[in-house]
Short mmCIF file of all heavy atoms in Angstrom, two decimals:
data_model
loop_
_atom_site.label_atom_id
_atom_site.label_comp_id
_atom_site.label_asym_id
_atom_site.label_seq_id
_atom_site.Cartn_x
_atom_site.Cartn_y
_atom_site.Cartn_z
N MET I 12 90.67 109.07 97.76
CA MET I 12 90.82 108.83 96.32
C MET I 12 89.68 109.39 95.52
O MET I 12 88.43 109.16 95.82
CB MET I 12 90.89 107.24 96.05
CG MET I 12 91.13 106.84 94.69
SD MET I 12 91.37 105.13 94.35
CE MET I 12 93.04 104.81 95.15
N SER I 13 89.87 110.02 94.35
CA SER I 13 88.82 110.69 93.65
C SER I 13 88.07 109.56 93.00
O SER I 13 88.46 108.33 92.75
CB SER I 13 89.40 111.58 92.66
OG SER I 13 89.96 110.88 91.58
N THR I 14 86.84 109.94 92.56
CA THR I 14 86.01 109.04 91.77
C THR I 14 86.52 108.59 90.60
O THR I 14 86.56 107.33 90.22
CB THR I 14 84.67 109.78 91.47
OG1 THR I 14 84.02 110.30 92.73
CG2 THR I 14 83.55 108.88 90.80
N ARG I 15 87.27 109.40 89.89
CA ARG I 15 87.86 109.09 88.58
C ARG I 15 89.04 108.15 88.84
O ARG I 15 89.12 107.05 88.23
CB ARG I 15 88.49 110.29 87.93
CG ARG I 15 89.33 109.91 86.66
CD ARG I 15 89.64 111.12 85.71
NE ARG I 15 88.49 111.80 85.26
CZ ARG I 15 87.80 111.34 84.13
NH1 ARG I 15 88.20 110.24 83.60
NH2 ARG I 15 86.75 112.01 83.72
N ALA I 16 89.81 108.30 89.87
CA ALA I 16 90.99 107.31 90.17
C ALA I 16 90.39 105.99 90.61
O ALA I 16 90.86 104.94 90.17
CB ALA I 16 91.79 107.96 91.29
N GLU I 17 89.31 106.09 91.36
CA GLU I 17 88.76 104.78 91.83
C GLU I 17 88.18 103.98 90.60
O GLU I 17 88.37 102.75 90.56
CB GLU I 17 87.67 105.02 92.85
CG GLU I 17 86.93 103.72 93.40
CD GLU I 17 88.00 103.08 94.43
OE1 GLU I 17 88.96 103.44 94.81
OE2 GLU I 17 87.79 101.62 94.17
N LEU I 18 87.47 104.79 89.71
CA LEU I 18 86.96 103.97 88.54
C LEU I 18 88.15 103.49 87.71
O LEU I 18 88.01 102.34 87.00
CB LEU I 18 86.01 104.95 87.77
CG LEU I 18 84.61 105.02 88.19
CD1 LEU I 18 83.80 106.14 87.42
CD2 LEU I 18 83.95 103.69 87.96
N GLU I 19 89.12 104.23 87.49
CA GLU I 19 90.34 103.79 86.69
C GLU I 19 90.80 102.56 87.21
O GLU I 19 91.32 101.59 86.46
CB GLU I 19 91.32 104.92 86.61
CG GLU I 19 90.91 106.07 85.61
CD GLU I 19 91.85 107.15 85.70
OE1 GLU I 19 92.56 107.29 86.58
OE2 GLU I 19 91.77 108.21 84.85
N LYS I 20 91.02 102.54 88.59
CA LYS I 20 91.48 101.21 89.30
C LYS I 20 90.65 100.05 89.00
O LYS I 20 91.03 99.02 88.72
CB LYS I 20 91.71 101.58 90.72
CG LYS I 20 92.21 100.43 91.53
CD LYS I 20 92.21 100.71 93.06
CE LYS I 20 92.57 99.50 93.82
NZ LYS I 20 92.29 99.68 95.25
N GLN I 21 89.32 100.30 89.13
CA GLN I 21 88.31 99.17 88.96
C GLN I 21 88.40 98.75 87.50
O GLN I 21 88.29 97.48 87.21
CB GLN I 21 87.01 99.74 89.27
CG GLN I 21 86.83 99.83 90.74
CD GLN I 21 85.42 100.44 91.11
OE1 GLN I 21 84.73 100.91 90.30
NE2 GLN I 21 85.06 100.38 92.47
N VAL I 22 88.59 99.62 86.57
CA VAL I 22 88.62 99.11 85.09
C VAL I 22 89.88 98.38 84.87
O VAL I 22 89.86 97.30 84.22
CB VAL I 22 88.62 100.49 84.19
CG1 VAL I 22 89.02 100.07 82.81
CG2 VAL I 22 87.17 101.13 84.23
N ARG I 23 91.02 98.78 85.46
CA ARG I 23 92.19 98.11 85.37
C ARG I 23 92.14 96.70 85.93
O ARG I 23 92.59 95.57 85.25
CB ARG I 23 93.43 98.75 86.00
CG ARG I 23 94.06 99.82 85.16
CD ARG I 23 95.36 100.34 85.83
NE ARG I 23 95.26 100.68 87.12
CZ ARG I 23 95.03 101.93 87.62
NH1 ARG I 23 94.64 102.85 86.83
NH2 ARG I 23 94.82 102.06 88.92
N GLU I 24 91.54 96.62 87.12
CA GLU I 24 91.31 95.30 87.81
C GLU I 24 90.47 94.39 86.96
O GLU I 24 90.70 93.18 86.89
CB GLU I 24 90.85 95.54 89.19
CG GLU I 24 91.86 96.10 90.06
CD GLU I 24 91.27 96.48 91.48
OE1 GLU I 24 89.99 96.44 91.57
OE2 GLU I 24 92.03 96.88 92.36
N ALA I 25 89.21 94.99 86.42
CA ALA I 25 88.33 94.09 85.64
C ALA I 25 89.06 93.65 84.42
O ALA I 25 88.96 92.44 83.99
CB ALA I 25 87.15 94.90 85.31
N ARG I 26 89.99 94.46 83.73
CA ARG I 26 90.58 94.03 82.56
C ARG I 26 91.65 93.00 82.79
O ARG I 26 91.76 92.07 82.01
CB ARG I 26 91.33 95.42 81.93
CG ARG I 26 92.13 95.04 80.59
CD ARG I 26 91.07 94.99 79.45
NE ARG I 26 91.07 93.70 78.92
CZ ARG I 26 90.25 93.13 78.05
NH1 ARG I 26 89.24 93.92 77.78
NH2 ARG I 26 90.30 91.88 77.71
N GLU I 27 92.32 93.03 83.93
CA GLU I 27 93.37 92.17 84.34
C GLU I 27 92.69 90.78 84.53
O GLU I 27 93.13 89.80 84.20
CB GLU I 27 94.10 92.53 85.54
CG GLU I 27 95.15 93.68 85.31
CD GLU I 27 95.84 94.13 86.48
OE1 GLU I 27 95.74 93.54 87.60
OE2 GLU I 27 96.56 95.17 86.26
N ARG I 28 91.51 90.92 85.25
CA ARG I 28 90.79 89.59 85.51
C ARG I 28 90.36 88.97 84.15
O ARG I 28 90.53 87.65 84.14
CB ARG I 28 89.54 89.98 86.24
CG ARG I 28 88.73 88.71 86.79
CD ARG I 28 87.56 88.91 87.68
NE ARG I 28 86.85 90.11 87.36
CZ ARG I 28 86.79 91.16 88.24
NH1 ARG I 28 87.41 91.26 89.40
NH2 ARG I 28 85.99 92.19 87.88
N LEU I 29 89.93 89.60 83.28
CA LEU I 29 89.51 89.08 81.89
C LEU I 29 90.78 88.53 81.26
O LEU I 29 90.76 87.38 80.58
CB LEU I 29 88.94 90.11 80.99
CG LEU I 29 87.51 90.31 81.31
CD1 LEU I 29 87.05 91.68 80.58
CD2 LEU I 29 86.62 89.23 81.03
N ASP I 30 91.85 89.30 81.21
CA ASP I 30 93.13 88.89 80.62
C ASP I 30 93.78 87.62 81.13
O ASP I 30 94.40 86.80 80.50
CB ASP I 30 94.11 90.12 80.53
CG ASP I 30 93.74 91.24 79.72
OD1 ASP I 30 92.84 91.07 78.77
OD2 ASP I 30 94.26 92.21 79.84
N ARG I 31 93.71 87.47 82.50
CA ARG I 31 94.22 86.41 83.20
C ARG I 31 93.35 85.30 83.46
O ARG I 31 93.78 84.41 84.23
CB ARG I 31 94.94 86.88 84.53
CG ARG I 31 95.99 87.89 84.31
CD ARG I 31 96.58 88.45 85.48
NE ARG I 31 97.68 89.42 85.20
CZ ARG I 31 98.29 90.11 86.24
NH1 ARG I 31 97.97 90.00 87.31
NH2 ARG I 31 99.23 90.95 85.81
N ALA I 32 92.18 85.28 82.96
CA ALA I 32 91.29 84.18 83.27
C ALA I 32 91.82 82.86 82.66
O ALA I 32 92.25 82.84 81.55
CB ALA I 32 89.96 84.54 82.52
N PRO I 33 91.69 81.88 83.50
CA PRO I 33 92.17 80.50 83.10
C PRO I 33 91.31 80.06 81.88
O PRO I 33 90.16 80.48 81.77
CB PRO I 33 91.97 79.60 84.26
CG PRO I 33 91.80 80.52 85.50
CD PRO I 33 91.24 81.82 84.93
N SER I 34 91.88 79.14 81.10
CA SER I 34 91.09 78.81 79.95
C SER I 34 89.90 77.95 80.22
O SER I 34 89.09 77.82 79.29
CB SER I 34 92.11 77.83 79.01
OG SER I 34 92.65 76.82 79.74
N ASP I 35 89.82 77.37 81.43
CA ASP I 35 88.64 76.58 81.69
C ASP I 35 87.60 77.44 82.51
O ASP I 35 86.69 76.81 83.00
CB ASP I 35 89.14 75.36 82.53
CG ASP I 35 89.67 75.70 83.84
OD1 ASP I 35 90.12 76.96 84.16
OD2 ASP I 35 89.91 74.89 84.69
N THR I 36 87.66 78.65 82.50
CA THR I 36 86.65 79.54 83.06
C THR I 36 85.37 79.47 82.30
O THR I 36 85.40 79.51 81.05
CB THR I 36 87.11 81.04 83.05
OG1 THR I 36 88.38 81.12 83.82
CG2 THR I 36 86.11 81.95 83.82
N PRO I 37 84.32 79.12 83.05
CA PRO I 37 83.02 78.99 82.30
C PRO I 37 82.77 80.22 81.60
O PRO I 37 82.98 81.40 81.93
CB PRO I 37 82.05 78.78 83.44
CG PRO I 37 82.80 78.23 84.50
CD PRO I 37 84.17 78.94 84.42
N ALA I 38 82.00 80.05 80.43
CA ALA I 38 81.56 81.09 79.47
C ALA I 38 80.64 82.14 80.21
O ALA I 38 80.63 83.35 79.91
CB ALA I 38 80.97 80.55 78.17
N GLU I 39 79.82 81.60 81.11
CA GLU I 39 78.92 82.45 81.84
C GLU I 39 79.68 83.46 82.71
O GLU I 39 79.20 84.56 82.85
CB GLU I 39 77.94 81.67 82.67
CG GLU I 39 77.03 80.79 81.82
CD GLU I 39 77.70 79.27 81.62
OE1 GLU I 39 78.66 79.03 82.32
OE2 GLU I 39 77.22 78.65 80.43
N VAL I 40 80.78 82.95 83.32
CA VAL I 40 81.42 83.74 84.25
C VAL I 40 82.21 84.82 83.37
O VAL I 40 82.22 86.14 83.77
CB VAL I 40 82.46 82.86 85.05
CG1 VAL I 40 83.46 83.79 85.77
CG2 VAL I 40 81.82 81.95 86.00
N LEU I 41 82.85 84.47 82.27
CA LEU I 41 83.51 85.38 81.32
C LEU I 41 82.49 86.50 80.87
O LEU I 41 82.92 87.68 80.87
CB LEU I 41 84.15 84.60 80.20
CG LEU I 41 85.40 83.79 80.50
CD1 LEU I 41 85.75 82.95 79.26
CD2 LEU I 41 86.54 84.69 81.07
N ALA I 42 81.27 85.99 80.62
CA ALA I 42 80.26 87.13 80.11
C ALA I 42 80.02 88.05 81.20
O ALA I 42 79.81 89.27 80.83
CB ALA I 42 79.03 86.29 79.64
N GLU I 43 79.85 87.70 82.47
CA GLU I 43 79.50 88.54 83.59
C GLU I 43 80.74 89.43 83.76
O GLU I 43 80.58 90.56 84.04
CB GLU I 43 79.18 87.64 84.88
CG GLU I 43 77.84 87.03 84.82
CD GLU I 43 76.75 88.16 84.68
OE1 GLU I 43 76.80 89.20 85.55
OE2 GLU I 43 75.79 87.93 83.97
N TRP I 44 81.98 88.98 83.78
CA TRP I 44 83.06 89.70 83.92
C TRP I 44 83.19 90.72 82.86
O TRP I 44 83.54 91.94 83.04
CB TRP I 44 84.39 88.82 83.97
CG TRP I 44 84.54 88.18 85.25
CD1 TRP I 44 83.77 88.22 86.27
CD2 TRP I 44 85.49 87.11 85.53
NE1 TRP I 44 84.30 87.35 87.24
CE2 TRP I 44 85.29 86.61 86.75
CE3 TRP I 44 86.60 86.64 84.66
CZ2 TRP I 44 86.14 85.70 87.29
CZ3 TRP I 44 87.33 85.55 85.32
CH2 TRP I 44 87.08 85.21 86.57
N ARG I 45 82.90 90.45 81.64
CA ARG I 45 82.93 91.31 80.44
C ARG I 45 81.87 92.45 80.58
O ARG I 45 82.11 93.65 80.29
CB ARG I 45 82.74 90.51 79.16
CG ARG I 45 82.76 91.37 77.88
CD ARG I 45 84.16 91.96 77.67
NE ARG I 45 84.12 92.81 76.46
CZ ARG I 45 85.13 93.37 76.03
NH1 ARG I 45 86.23 93.53 76.75
NH2 ARG I 45 85.00 94.21 74.86
N LYS I 46 80.72 91.95 81.02
CA LYS I 46 79.55 92.98 81.32
C LYS I 46 80.06 94.06 82.32
O LYS I 46 79.73 95.29 82.21
CB LYS I 46 78.32 92.22 81.65
CG LYS I 46 77.10 93.17 81.93
CD LYS I 46 75.95 92.26 82.42
CE LYS I 46 74.79 93.25 82.80
NZ LYS I 46 73.75 92.45 83.24
N GLU I 47 80.63 93.50 83.48
CA GLU I 47 81.08 94.42 84.53
C GLU I 47 82.18 95.34 83.98
O GLU I 47 82.06 96.53 84.25
CB GLU I 47 81.69 93.61 85.66
CG GLU I 47 82.20 94.46 86.77
CD GLU I 47 83.02 93.60 87.88
OE1 GLU I 47 83.17 92.40 87.63
OE2 GLU I 47 83.40 94.14 88.80
N TYR I 48 83.04 94.87 83.16
CA TYR I 48 84.15 95.75 82.56
C TYR I 48 83.46 96.71 81.77
O TYR I 48 83.91 97.96 81.77
CB TYR I 48 85.07 94.82 81.79
CG TYR I 48 86.11 95.51 80.98
CD1 TYR I 48 87.29 96.15 81.59
CD2 TYR I 48 85.90 95.72 79.52
CE1 TYR I 48 88.08 96.93 80.82
CE2 TYR I 48 86.79 96.51 78.96
CZ TYR I 48 87.90 97.07 79.57
OH TYR I 48 88.86 97.86 78.70
N ASP I 49 82.67 96.43 80.92
CA ASP I 49 81.91 97.36 79.93
C ASP I 49 81.11 98.46 80.80
O ASP I 49 81.18 99.48 80.33
CB ASP I 49 80.97 96.55 79.05
CG ASP I 49 81.67 95.69 77.88
OD1 ASP I 49 82.85 95.84 77.77
OD2 ASP I 49 81.11 94.79 77.41
N GLU I 50 80.50 97.97 81.78
CA GLU I 50 79.89 98.96 82.58
C GLU I 50 80.71 99.95 83.30
O GLU I 50 80.46 101.25 83.36
CB GLU I 50 78.94 98.21 83.68
CG GLU I 50 77.76 97.51 83.15
CD GLU I 50 76.99 96.69 84.07
OE1 GLU I 50 77.46 96.57 85.34
OE2 GLU I 50 76.09 95.99 83.61
N LEU I 51 81.80 99.47 83.82
CA LEU I 51 82.83 100.35 84.52
C LEU I 51 83.42 101.23 83.33
O LEU I 51 83.63 102.41 83.65
CB LEU I 51 83.88 99.55 85.10
CG LEU I 51 83.66 98.88 86.35
CD1 LEU I 51 84.63 97.72 86.71
CD2 LEU I 51 83.36 99.74 87.48
N VAL I 52 83.76 100.79 82.22
CA VAL I 52 84.26 101.77 81.21
C VAL I 52 83.26 102.80 80.79
O VAL I 52 83.61 103.92 80.62
CB VAL I 52 84.69 100.88 79.95
CG1 VAL I 52 85.04 101.78 78.70
CG2 VAL I 52 85.92 100.07 80.36
N PHE I 53 82.00 102.49 80.71
CA PHE I 53 80.98 103.34 80.35
C PHE I 53 80.92 104.45 81.43
O PHE I 53 80.80 105.67 81.15
CB PHE I 53 79.70 102.61 80.16
CG PHE I 53 78.50 103.49 79.85
CD1 PHE I 53 78.28 103.96 78.59
CD2 PHE I 53 77.57 103.93 80.96
CE1 PHE I 53 77.23 104.86 78.24
CE2 PHE I 53 76.61 104.78 80.61
CZ PHE I 53 76.31 105.18 79.21
N GLN I 54 80.88 104.05 82.59
CA GLN I 54 80.93 105.02 83.80
C GLN I 54 81.99 105.99 83.68
O GLN I 54 81.89 107.09 83.87
CB GLN I 54 80.81 104.33 85.09
CG GLN I 54 79.59 103.58 85.41
CD GLN I 54 79.65 102.81 86.78
OE1 GLN I 54 80.56 103.25 87.64
NE2 GLN I 54 78.88 101.76 86.95
N LEU I 55 83.33 105.40 83.42
CA LEU I 55 84.38 106.19 83.38
C LEU I 55 84.36 107.25 82.23
O LEU I 55 84.71 108.42 82.36
CB LEU I 55 85.78 105.28 83.29
CG LEU I 55 86.92 106.08 83.30
CD1 LEU I 55 87.23 106.88 84.52
CD2 LEU I 55 88.20 105.08 83.12
N ASP I 56 83.95 106.74 81.06
CA ASP I 56 83.81 107.63 80.01
C ASP I 56 82.79 108.66 80.04
O ASP I 56 82.88 109.77 79.56
CB ASP I 56 83.50 106.73 78.58
CG ASP I 56 84.50 105.92 78.17
OD1 ASP I 56 85.69 106.10 78.66
OD2 ASP I 56 84.23 104.90 77.51
N ASN I 57 81.73 108.42 80.91
CA ASN I 57 80.67 109.56 81.12
C ASN I 57 80.88 110.32 82.32
O ASN I 57 79.88 110.88 82.77
CB ASN I 57 79.40 108.78 81.04
CG ASN I 57 79.10 108.33 79.59
OD1 ASN I 57 78.93 109.05 78.67
ND2 ASN I 57 79.04 106.99 79.45
N LEU I 58 81.92 110.11 83.04
CA LEU I 58 82.12 110.76 84.32
C LEU I 58 82.41 112.28 84.00
O LEU I 58 83.19 112.69 83.21
CB LEU I 58 83.39 110.22 85.02
CG LEU I 58 83.82 110.77 86.36
CD1 LEU I 58 82.66 110.44 87.39
CD2 LEU I 58 84.98 110.22 86.99
N TYR I 59 81.90 113.15 84.87
CA TYR I 59 81.96 114.52 84.74
C TYR I 59 82.80 115.02 86.05
O TYR I 59 82.30 114.75 87.07
CB TYR I 59 80.56 115.22 84.72
CG TYR I 59 80.78 116.78 84.69
CD1 TYR I 59 81.13 117.35 83.44
CD2 TYR I 59 80.64 117.60 85.79
CE1 TYR I 59 81.38 118.88 83.38
CE2 TYR I 59 80.87 118.99 85.74
CZ TYR I 59 81.15 119.64 84.63
OH TYR I 59 81.30 120.96 84.59
N ASP I 60 84.06 115.46 85.68
CA ASP I 60 84.77 115.97 86.79
C ASP I 60 84.26 117.42 87.25
O ASP I 60 84.25 118.37 86.34
CB ASP I 60 86.26 116.09 86.29
CG ASP I 60 86.83 114.69 86.15
OD1 ASP I 60 86.50 113.87 86.92
OD2 ASP I 60 87.73 114.61 85.31
N ASP I 61 84.04 117.54 88.54
CA ASP I 61 83.63 118.86 88.90
C ASP I 61 84.62 119.88 88.83
O ASP I 61 84.35 121.15 88.74
CB ASP I 61 83.13 118.75 90.54
CG ASP I 61 81.93 117.87 90.67
OD1 ASP I 61 81.10 117.83 89.73
OD2 ASP I 61 81.87 117.33 91.77
N GLN I 62 85.94 119.48 88.76
CA GLN I 62 87.06 120.46 88.73
C GLN I 62 87.13 120.97 87.39
O GLN I 62 87.68 122.03 87.17
CB GLN I 62 88.37 119.75 89.05
CG GLN I 62 88.28 119.21 90.54
CD GLN I 62 89.32 118.11 90.68
OE1 GLN I 62 89.98 117.76 89.69
NE2 GLN I 62 89.66 117.77 92.04
N VAL I 63 86.56 120.33 86.44
CA VAL I 63 86.57 120.94 84.95
C VAL I 63 85.33 121.51 84.57
O VAL I 63 84.23 120.87 84.68
CB VAL I 63 86.90 119.59 83.97
CG1 VAL I 63 86.82 120.18 82.52
CG2 VAL I 63 88.07 119.01 84.35
N ASN I 64 85.34 122.79 84.37
CA ASN I 64 84.16 123.47 84.05
C ASN I 64 84.22 123.87 82.52
O ASN I 64 85.01 124.74 82.09
CB ASN I 64 84.00 124.76 84.83
CG ASN I 64 82.72 125.51 84.67
OD1 ASN I 64 81.98 125.13 83.69
ND2 ASN I 64 82.39 126.42 85.47
N GLU I 65 83.34 123.23 81.72
CA GLU I 65 83.47 123.48 80.26
C GLU I 65 82.89 124.83 79.84
O GLU I 65 83.05 125.14 78.64
CB GLU I 65 82.63 122.35 79.55
CG GLU I 65 81.08 122.28 80.04
CD GLU I 65 80.51 121.23 79.46
OE1 GLU I 65 80.94 119.95 79.60
OE2 GLU I 65 79.41 121.33 78.87
N PHE I 66 82.44 125.63 80.89
CA PHE I 66 81.77 126.90 80.45
C PHE I 66 82.70 128.03 80.76
O PHE I 66 82.32 129.18 80.75
CB PHE I 66 80.53 127.08 81.22
CG PHE I 66 79.43 125.99 80.95
CD1 PHE I 66 79.09 125.11 81.83
CD2 PHE I 66 78.91 125.96 79.62
CE1 PHE I 66 78.19 124.12 81.46
CE2 PHE I 66 78.02 125.00 79.26
CZ PHE I 66 77.64 124.03 80.21
N THR I 67 83.99 127.76 81.23
CA THR I 67 84.90 128.84 81.48
C THR I 67 85.54 129.16 80.12
O THR I 67 85.75 128.41 79.32
CB THR I 67 85.94 128.42 82.52
OG1 THR I 67 86.57 127.22 82.19
CG2 THR I 67 85.23 128.19 83.75
N ASP I 68 86.09 130.29 80.17
CA ASP I 68 86.92 130.91 79.00
C ASP I 68 88.34 130.31 78.91
O ASP I 68 89.03 130.19 79.84
CB ASP I 68 86.78 132.34 78.82
CG ASP I 68 85.44 132.86 78.59
OD1 ASP I 68 84.62 131.99 78.13
OD2 ASP I 68 85.13 134.06 78.79
#
């Protein structure tokens, strides 16, 4: 699995975990899950694909 596909999968899983969190989930846990989600999204947004060369015509 490519790095991009793996990160996309992790982002989906983190988003689902946040969306499906029980209402009694402690705020500290939700904050950590949100932080993890934000970090994964940041990594994905800043991923450079080796297959894409921005310097080609």
